[in-house]
Amino acid sequence: MANVSDIKDEPGQPPALTSLSLAEAAQETKSKEQSITPFDVSGGFDEHGKPKAIDYDKLVDTFGSQRIDKPLLERFEKVTGHKPHRMLRRGLVFSHRDLNLILDKYEKGIPFYLYTGRGPSSDSMHVGHTIPFEFTKYLQDVFDVPLVIMLTDDEKFFHSPKLSLKDVYKFTILNAMDIIAVGFDMKKTFIFADTAFVDGGFAAAFNNNVREMGKRTTINQIRGTFGFNDSNNIAEFNFPAMQSATAFATSFPFIFGHDAKKVAKVPCLIPCAIDQDPYFRQCRDNAPKMGLLKPAIIHAVFLPSLRGSESKMSASDADSSIFLSDTDNQIKKKIGKAFSGGQDTAELHREIGGRTAVDVPFQYLTFFLEDDEELERIRVAYEKGEMQSGEMKMACTKELQAYVRGFRERRKAVTEEVRMEFMRPRQLVFKGMPSENEQQETREKRIKILEQELERLRTGDLSA
């Protein structure tokens, strides 16, 4: 039987104006399959045009990933000595590629690193954005490993006609401070913005991996994976190579060292929402051609929109989201308007109970309420009709107000100096880090490069 790593990954005349043809066209457009890409998240529509919830089981089959099952969770707890995070326990982190191989290496004392990121599209993140970051922090704490966070300001600029480079860089700085407030260990975490990092003096190895990946990625691969067509700009076609490069330890010699053969053996684990999987499918296809390891991936579900589970929270739609900058009163009002699984009347609700599967406030509690027993008590009471929709919304409001309030307090401590240190290319501290001699060699090489650059500036020789 083949190992998981051996399985190849799965890579989107005007009508006649007669009453009949228009009716047929309308009928045809009512049903639509779900669409999950980095640029479009929708559960699709049924034959009556009604929005459908996202089908995660179907995604596992379509994307060719593996479910995180009970035996894998038991092994995770045994290997790490830590209780699985609530999102693992509740199936909110539900799918993976090669997580078992990461556990194998961890058991053998082989170091690895974490990689996650965000495309900064607004000046404040919403609570849905914190899900993968909170889970990543848990993994960093449990495994005691370095973390690289990529802020893809260039991708947002390429893909968003209305955003300028100035806009996205401003969002990047503010989002970086929000991410830091999640609680990452500065000694083990490097955050970078694409536009600043790739033009700096530390990105030579990173840029080489972008070129190597770009050379091996065809236009047809990008079209098939992302659904791009002739209307997409050329920068969008090239960007997947950029996002892939962060999945290779050789892109960061200032963290992992300059011994290319040794560093190429350092695995990467990527926690992300499942809409990011298309980037890493094509990355995994091409990594062996570069002599590098396929990154392992662990997928989270989306935090539903306030309107329902047919779509995720969106920073571009304030009414669908709870932002980390929202006040307690704003949170209360938004939860009060959230889609409910309660019945039309209190009497009917008491008789047949509520529907937790579609109730947005209950879904939010599954993400943010830590106590498993209390969550189960709420579920049973609501489904039996013993808890009304208003009470469910009150419980959700209380939990989210506490969550956002805690974030706001941590955010106050994130100064510009703290942000700059997180985003400074530097040696991180972790088990298996380069030796003192190698670190000194790296510093000397860097000093020499800077001295040469300074000399060129002094003499006016800008030809190099």
Side-chain angles (χ1 to χ4, degrees):
M1 182 175 179
N3 293 325
V4 169
S5 59
D6 296 330
I7 300 173
K8 185 173 179 61
D9 295 318
E10 300 289 334
Q13 302 291 337
L17 298 180
T18 65
S19 298
L20 179 59
S21 66
L22 289 173
E24 289 174 345
Q27 183 66 31
E28 288 174 1
T29 58
K30 281 185 178 180
S31 178
K32 183 180 178 182
E33 287 296 312
Q34 70 178 5
S35 174
I36 307 296
T37 74
F39 316 108
D40 179 34
V41 174
S42 168
F45 300 88
D46 65 17
E47 65 274 15
H48 304 294
K50 182 180 179 182
K52 297 190 295 184
I54 296 169
D55 186 340
Y56 291 102
D57 288 326
K58 186 174 182 179
L59 277 181
V60 169
D61 293 337
T62 302
F63 286 180
S65 59
Q66 290 76 46
R67 268 282 186 184
I68 295 177
D69 55 17
K70 185 177 179 181
L72 185 57
L73 284 181
E74 290 173 347
R75 185 175 179 225
F76 180 96
E77 184 167 5
K78 180 180 178 181
V79 168
T80 65
H82 289 265
K83 180 181 180 180
H85 191 277
R86 65 179 181 274
M87 289 192 284
L88 279 170
R89 302 195 304 268
R90 298 169 188 170
L92 303 175
V93 174
F94 70 106
S95 170
H96 76 100
R97 299 184 189 274
D98 291 347
L99 176 58
N100 53 321
L101 299 185
I102 292 292
L103 294 177
D104 289 345
K105 293 182 184 297
Y106 181 74
E107 275 190 310
K108 296 175 182 177
I110 298 173
F112 70 93
Y113 75 105
L114 297 166
Y115 156 34
T116 194
R118 161 149 173 76
S121 58
S122 62
D123 56 3
S124 175
M125 290 165 48
H126 57 62
V127 293
H129 292 140
T130 66
I131 297 299
F133 287 113
E134 182 187 334
F135 182 66
T136 300
K137 179 188 181 305
Y138 162 84
L139 293 176
Q140 184 182 51
D141 293 344
V142 165
F143 289 109
D144 192 23
V145 292
L147 164 66
V148 175
I149 298 175
M150 181 185 202
L151 299 177
T152 58
D153 52 347
D154 50 350
E155 182 221 18
K156 288 303 177 185
F157 171 68
F158 300 151
H159 195 71
S160 306
K162 295 181 180 180
L163 291 179
S164 67
L165 279 172
K166 184 178 179 181
D167 290 332
V168 293
Y169 190 70
K170 180 187 74 172
F171 296 157
T172 297
I173 298 304
L174 294 172
N175 284 190
M177 298 176 86
D178 284 350
I179 291 166
I180 291 166
V182 172
F184 293 107
D185 185 339
M186 181 188 288
K187 293 181 180 179
K188 294 181 173 64
T189 306
F190 171 55
I191 303 174
F192 72 95
D194 286 355
T195 54
F197 179 66
V198 298
D199 293 330
F202 287 87
F206 180 91
N207 289 332
N208 281 339
N209 278 337
V210 173
R211 295 182 189 104
E212 293 281 359
M213 178 60 70
K215 182 177 180 178
R216 291 164 174 82
T217 306
T218 68
I219 294 295
N220 282 340
Q221 276 184 306
I222 299 301
R223 288 180 186 273
T225 302
F226 298 95
F228 287 176
N229 55 44
D230 290 346
S231 67
N232 289 91
N233 61 62
I234 59 175
E236 290 177 284
F237 277 91
N238 182 65
F239 178 77
M242 176 85 73
Q243 184 147 324
S244 294
T246 312
F248 307 127
T250 53
S251 292
F252 306 101
F254 56 88
I255 296 176
F256 299 104
H258 290 265
D259 186 338
K261 289 185 178 179
K262 178 181 176 181
V263 175
K265 297 177 182 178
V266 177
C268 175
L269 173 61
I270 306 171
C272 62
I274 196 158
D275 62 335
Q276 296 300 301
D277 188 75
Y279 280 116
F280 302 116
R281 291 205 302 276
Q282 61 85 26
C283 173
R284 283 168 57 89
D285 281 345
N286 291 321
K289 302 172 189 176
M290 299 168 60
L292 299 173
L293 298 176
K294 293 181 179 183
I297 311 168
I298 187 166
H299 301 122
V301 304
F302 304 112
L303 187 67
S305 161
L306 286 161
R307 297 191 180 96
S309 56
E310 298 83 12
S311 62
K312 65 174 183 175
M313 279 193 181
S314 172
S316 61
D317 183 357
D319 292 333
S320 76
S321 306
I322 294 172
F323 288 90
L324 294 169
S325 57
D326 281 349
T327 64
D328 284 0
N329 192 46
Q330 286 174 315
I331 293 171
K332 181 179 179 180
K333 287 182 178 180
K334 288 183 176 182
I335 295 298
K337 296 177 181 179
F339 184 85
S340 171
Q343 304 302 330
D344 292 340
T345 66
E347 182 178 350
L348 183 61
H349 187 92
R350 282 192 291 269
E351 181 182 341
I352 63 175
R355 299 160 292 161
T356 55
V358 298
D359 190 274
V360 168
F362 179 78
Q363 295 303 313
Y364 289 177
L365 286 174
T366 66
F367 280 87
F368 296 103
L369 179 61
E370 179 64 34
D371 190 328
D372 291 338
E373 292 183 0
E374 176 62 9
L375 182 67
E376 178 63 8
R377 184 196 69 78
I378 291 172
R379 184 193 68 80
V380 171
Y382 194 65
E383 291 181 353
K384 286 184 175 180
E386 297 169 356
M387 173 185 274
Q388 292 288 329
S389 295
E391 295 174 289
M392 177 69 81
K393 290 182 176 182
M394 286 176 59
C396 177
T397 297
K398 180 181 177 181
E399 197 65 33
L400 276 171
Q401 285 175 336
Y403 185 86
V404 174
R405 198 179 303 125
F407 168 83
R408 285 199 298 262
E409 289 302 311
R410 295 191 302 273
R411 181 66 168 76
K412 290 177 184 177
V414 181
T415 64
E416 177 63 8
E417 291 72 24
V418 168
R419 179 199 67 77
M420 290 177 67
E421 182 61 16
F422 267 95
M423 299 185 77
R424 180 175 66 87
R426 65 202 189 284
Q427 175 65 63
L428 301 182
V429 179
F430 57 95
K431 183 179 179 181
M433 62 189 286
S435 66
E436 283 294 331
N437 288 339
E438 188 172 357
Q439 292 180 54
Q440 180 61 30
E441 182 182 340
T442 299
R443 286 192 289 268
E444 290 174 356
K445 286 181 179 179
R446 179 63 182 156
I447 290 171
K448 185 176 181 180
I449 292 172
L450 291 174
E451 287 175 342
Q452 291 172 344
E453 179 67 19
L454 183 59
E455 184 62 25
R456 286 197 295 269
L457 290 173
R458 282 174 177 158
T459 61
D461 178 12
L462 302 179
S463 60

